[in-house]
Amino acid sequence: MAAREPRLIRKIAELREALTLIRRERKRVGFVPTMGALHEGHLSLVRACKTECDCTVVSIFVNPTQFGPQEDFERYPRTLDRDLAGLRSCGVELVFAPEAREMYPPGFDTWVEVKGVSEPLEGVCRPGHFRGVATVVLKLFNIVQPDVAYFGQKDYQQALVIEKMIRDLDLPIILRVLPTVRESDGLAMSSRNSYLDPESRKQATVLWRSLCRAAECLRNGERRADVILREMRQVIDAIPNARTDYVALVNPETLQPVDAITGKTLAAVAVRLGKTRLIDNLLLEP
Ligand code: PAF
């Protein structure tokens, strides 16, 4: 049977009304927030949501408040028609794609700040980013009121920030964080990969290769963080075009740096290739 077209909703009030009817039938509502330019990583979240919930809501909103002034808000890919076709093939029921003024009407001035886990790594390189993320995600949670929300491990720190927000603000939402989906050469799928020219695309495997080097060091019995970090940096420095924002080995709950790998540890990297900034991570276990 051909999949039905998802219902495309632009207004908060209209989405609320549609969801009131769905909730009246005691349906379990799952929510996948996105900024569009959907790829297999997003679709894996959507498929999990479809399997685990009765109604799947996907939001597509390039959230201006999580981009810094020098960042790529203007050029961020916007591919609504293609996104809708992908969501249709997954059988998604509702797509919420508001305009910026619907989410941030004139005079909007309330912000959500999650301290602690939002501060290191991306927090240093992209000041204000997680304030924008937490604010829009809380707004979306309030609008959709999902039972379950789906995020990718690719944005590990983001998932941690959302987990903390859910806990601290007593939101009745189950958070599901699903594995990063990778291209066959290891590059983590990301909407920003579309910025890469063919040469940079080849070089972009450097993030995954540096993470694999960390895992390899660990397998070879190395536990000292400074030694492993040096090895990881060497992989990245071999690419002349690559500029490292950070290479880190951190506690996966606090994101504070570790001196040695004695338990679960997150290896995280952020690298710029020309104008394109990519991030990736890998959970290491000794
Ligand atoms: O991960 C993203 O695409 C965005 O940060 C999110 C969660 C949709 C909030 O704008």
Side-chain angles (χ1 to χ4, degrees), residues 33-35 42 61 63 66 76 129 133 136-137 151 155 158:
T34 82
M35 298 207 296
H42 295 112
F61 178 59
N63 173 36
Q66 69 188 71
Y76 197 86
H129 169 66
V133 170
V136 81
V137 170
F151 289 80
D155 295 302
Q158 168 171 280

Side-chain angles (χ1 to χ4, degrees), residues 1-6 50 85-92:
M1 209 169 61
R4 273 196 20 212
E5 211 56 56
K50 279 295 293 178
L87 296 176
R88 175 178 189 265
S89 70
C90 295
V92 167

Side-chain angles (χ1 to χ4, degrees), residues 256-277:
Q256 290 307 308
V258 296
D259 293 330
I261 302 189
T262 52
K264 270 195 185 170
T265 301
L266 185 79
V269 290
V271 173
R272 289 171 196 271
L273 291 165
K275 281 192 184 149
T276 306
R277 183 174 184 278

Side-chain angles (χ1 to χ4, degrees), residues 56-231:
T56 295
V57 183
V58 175
S59 64
I60 296 179
F61 178 59
V62 185
N63 173 36
T65 66
Q66 69 188 71
F67 290 79
Q70 306 303 325
E71 293 184 1
D72 56 343
F73 174 68
E74 293 300 338
R75 73 167 179 146
Y76 197 86
R78 288 153 171 92
T79 57
L80 185 62
D81 289 343
R82 193 152 53 77
D83 293 347
L84 288 174
L87 296 176
R88 175 178 189 265
S89 70
C90 295
V92 167
E93 285 84 4
L94 298 174
V95 175
F96 179 51
E99 297 287 339
R101 62 178 173 276
E102 180 72 1
M103 294 298 281
Y104 299 109
F108 180 93
D109 208 6
T110 301
W111 302 97
V112 180
E113 215 159 332
V114 178
K115 300 275 188 198
V117 289
S118 71
E119 289 165 23
L121 305 177
E122 292 299 288
V124 174
C125 300
R126 303 185 68 190
H129 169 66
F130 285 123
R131 184 175 97 138
V133 170
T135 302
V136 81
V137 170
L138 182 61
K139 279 176 69 72
L140 290 165
F141 281 174
N142 282 333
I143 295 164
V144 177
Q145 298 183 23
D147 297 289
V148 192
Y150 294 80
F151 289 80
Q153 197 199 306
K154 152 87 178 11
D155 295 302
Y156 186 99
Q157 188 174 9
Q158 168 171 280
L160 215 55
V161 168
I162 301 302
E163 180 183 48
K164 183 90 171 75
M165 179 179 79
I166 288 177
R167 201 171 341 119
D168 286 356
L169 299 183
D170 305 301
L171 305 178
I173 298 172
I174 296 168
L175 178 68
R176 297 266 289 117
V177 181
L178 299 185
T180 303
V181 178
R182 299 183 179 281
E183 303 286 356
S184 55
D185 60 5
L187 176 65
M189 289 202 183
S190 161
S191 307
R192 292 190 166 96
N193 292 350
S194 67
Y195 299 151
L196 298 167
D197 60 42
E199 186 55 23
S200 307
R201 169 61 188 84
K202 275 190 229 148
Q203 297 172 334
T205 58
V206 73
L207 286 89
W208 177 236
R209 286 191 285 111
S210 73
L211 296 169
C212 291
R213 176 66 65 86
E216 189 189 333
C217 290
L218 200 59
R219 273 198 305 277
N220 293 340
E222 183 57 68
R223 297 283 184 272
R224 291 165 298 177
D226 57 343
V227 175
I228 301 176
L229 288 170
R230 200 181 318 129
E231 291 281 329

